[in-house]
């Protein structure tokens, strides 16, 4: 029999969605139980494990104590924390850091890590949620990542119990609604499963955030990636649709396929074309679309359907009708943080900075895709 795992202190995993930047991170599992998506570098070479439930509960108790110590010491006008609080030593640096971040963010939200913690037994998940509710009654949002494949297999009554116990948002990395693309990148879910999982989350009254990855089908499948993903999302009507443009980090298996000529990646202009087709294909839904990731070309895409639909599409159309030299300038500006929005092309100072950078990089209309790929590596 395997020896029981020893508690080694408060733990946090490597990633969370950008929208959870101010959330307290509670690690329930380590890494990803699937770990085979070819575009994903995050947990490669890491083994999945479930943390013992009593360790997770202990983390929650520990960070609650640190949070109370920070709040109390501030009320008392103390500049530093005491070494002990109500007899407990305050010596866990990870917990201390997490508690400071949580207090600084206003103690509004909690994110459950890592990549697919919904894979643990639902009774255990509900126990953790209830413990969080007791420890942090002021928290308004508790969220988790979840794979469609996992969620589709959770009984509806468990999802309802999770909602009652405070789980109010699930982030699903759909990436694509195309069976061909999902198979190509080894996502381990098909379109029907993605739709079923999304509909089950919504039926349980839990907010749903779905992620779409423009560019994931490469050049041969760009239209399919756009239209099939839109079709799947039209059948789910998630609360949020979040864009995550494909990038190729060194640790992702898809990068090797690209280097071997087996995956034909699109550049920014072709990916914008796919994005426009995607936006045009969304219909009959009331989702909020967010472009809240540094890898996306158009951060200004942010609005709720149907009323903002035309405005969201217009941003991309405005880019696509620009002369090629202007498209190049905007892409370089965006990828080097000199420009944040398409309108910045009309700002003489930002244009000057970006032209300087374009010339330093030696970027031209002909070589822009490879130069931009290299720039995007810095954001991954
Ligand atoms: S399921 Fe998510 S975390 Fe796991 S390999 Fe795929 S993209 Fe990465």
């Amino acid at each position: 029999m395997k020896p029981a795992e020893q508690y080694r202190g408060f733990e946090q995993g490597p990633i969370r969605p950008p929208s959870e930047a101010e959330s307290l991170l509670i690690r329930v599992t380590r890494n990803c139980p699937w770990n085979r998506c070819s575009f994903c570098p995050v947990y490669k070479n890491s083994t999945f494990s479930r943390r013992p439930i009593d360790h997770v509960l202990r983390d929650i108790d520990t960070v609650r104590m640190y949070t109370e110590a920070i709040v109390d010491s501030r009320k008392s006008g103390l500049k530093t924390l005491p070494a002990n609080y109500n007899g407990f030593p305050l010596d866990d640096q990870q917990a201390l850091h997490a508690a400071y971040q949580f207090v600084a963010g206003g103690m509004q939200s909690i994110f459950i890590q890592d990549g697919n913690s919904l894979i643990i037994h639902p009774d255990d998940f509900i126990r953790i949620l209830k413990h969080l509710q007791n420890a942090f009654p002021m928290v308004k949002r508790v969220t988790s990542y979840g794979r469609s494949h996992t969620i589709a297999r959770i009984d509806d009554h468990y999802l309802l119990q999770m909602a009652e116990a405070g789980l109010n948002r699930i982030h699903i990395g759909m990436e694509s609604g195309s069976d061909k693309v999902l198979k190509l990148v080894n996502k381990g879910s098909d379109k029907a499963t993605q739709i079923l999982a999304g509909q089950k989350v919504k039926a349980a009254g839990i907010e749903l955030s779905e992620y779409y990855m423009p560019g994931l089908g490469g050049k041969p499948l760009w239209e399919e990636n756009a239209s099939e993903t839109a079709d799947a999302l039209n059948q789910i009507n998630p609360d949020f649709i979040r864009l995550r443009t494909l990038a190729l980090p060194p640790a992702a298996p898809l990068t090797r396929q690209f280097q071997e000529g087996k995956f034909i990646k699109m550049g920014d202009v072709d990916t914008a074309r796919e994005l426009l087709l995607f936006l045009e294909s969304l219909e009959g839904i009331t989702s909020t679309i967010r472009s809240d990731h540094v890898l996306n070309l158009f951060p200004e895409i942010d609005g709720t359907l149907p009323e903002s639909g035309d405005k969201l599409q217009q941003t991309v159309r405005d880019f696509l009708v620009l002369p090629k030299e202007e498209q190049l300038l905007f892409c370089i500006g965006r990828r080097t943080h000199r420009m944040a929005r398409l309108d910045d092309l009309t700002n003489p100072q930002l244009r000057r900075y970006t032209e300087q950078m374009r010339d330093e990089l030696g970027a031209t209309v002909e070589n822009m895709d490879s130069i931009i790929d290299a720039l995007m590596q810095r954001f991954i």
Side-chain angles (χ1 to χ4, degrees), residues 27-31 48-51 113-114 116-117 120:
R27 192 177 210 183
V28 169
T29 58
R30 301 185 185 101
N31 312 313
F48 173 76
S49 63
R50 292 163 166 81
R51 293 188 70 209
Q113 295 183 306
D114 276 350
N116 182 29
S117 289
I120 69 170

Side-chain angles (χ1 to χ4, degrees), residues 44-271:
K44 298 290 182 280
N45 303 318
S46 308
T47 309
F48 173 76
S49 63
R50 292 163 166 81
R51 293 188 70 209
I53 300 307
D54 59 315
H55 290 192
V56 178
L57 302 185
R58 197 163 153 187
D59 274 8
I60 295 169
D61 293 339
T62 302
V63 79
R64 178 179 60 92
M65 188 176 63
Y66 278 73
T67 304
E68 286 173 5
I70 293 167
V71 172
D72 280 359
S73 67
R74 287 189 179 169
K75 275 188 201 152
S76 317
L78 294 175
K79 289 217 165 55
T80 52
L81 280 186
N84 289 282
Y85 179 76
N86 291 342
F88 291 99
L90 299 176
D91 56 1
D92 184 325
Q93 293 306 310
Q94 282 256 42
L96 183 62
H97 179 70
Y100 269 121
Q101 294 264 99
F102 186 44
V103 172
M107 296 186 285
Q108 299 289 301
S109 57
I110 292 172
F111 178 69
I112 295 175
Q113 295 183 306
D114 276 350
N116 182 29
S117 289
L118 283 159
I119 200 159
I120 69 170
H121 194 285
D123 284 331
D124 290 336
F125 202 89
I126 290 160
R127 197 171 152 212
I128 291 166
L129 289 168
K130 286 184 173 165
H131 205 79
L132 282 171
Q133 256 181 345
N134 286 332
F136 302 109
M138 76 299 257
V139 158
K140 297 196 171 65
R141 201 175 76 215
V142 179
T143 74
S144 174
Y145 278 135
R147 282 189 73 222
S148 291
H149 186 269
T150 302
I151 295 166
R153 282 159 180 73
I154 299 176
D155 280 346
D156 289 343
H157 75 91
Y158 276 132
L159 287 170
L160 285 167
Q161 284 179 52
M162 287 179 195
E164 270 167 34
L167 182 68
N168 40 24
R169 186 180 297 173
I170 294 180
H171 299 268
I172 297 183
M174 171 185 277
E175 334 298 1
S176 176
S178 153
D179 280 338
K180 284 186 197 157
V181 176
L182 291 167
K183 194 158 175 236
L184 175 83
V185 301
N186 212 10
K187 184 70 193 169
S189 294
D190 58 13
K191 180 181 179 183
T193 307
Q194 302 265 28
I195 294 170
L196 176 65
Q199 289 175 341
K200 280 166 70 81
V201 171
K202 292 279 295 175
I206 299 172
E207 269 190 349
L208 176 61
S209 200
E210 293 271 11
Y211 292 76
Y212 158 52
M213 193 169 274
L216 191 59
K219 268 193 185 149
L221 293 172
W222 73 270
E223 283 171 289
E224 161 117 11
N225 197 37
S227 54
E228 285 292 281
T229 308
D231 182 56
L233 292 167
N234 288 342
Q235 294 183 55
I236 298 170
N237 192 14
D239 299 274
F240 296 94
I241 296 171
R242 294 189 144 94
L243 309 178
R244 290 287 175 279
T245 305
L246 174 73
L248 291 178
L254 194 62
T255 306
R256 204 175 49 247
Q257 292 170 21
F258 168 69
Q259 288 158 351
E260 291 167 355
K262 293 176 186 155
F263 177 77
I264 307 170
K265 185 179 182 296
M266 293 193 292
D268 272 347
V269 178
D270 287 339
T271 305

Side-chain angles (χ1 to χ4, degrees), residues 32 34-37 39-40 43-44 147 175 187:
C32 170
W34 174 247
N35 210 9
R36 290 181 225 170
C37 301
F39 58 87
C40 173
Y43 302 111
K44 298 290 182 280
R147 282 189 73 222
E175 334 298 1
K187 184 70 193 169

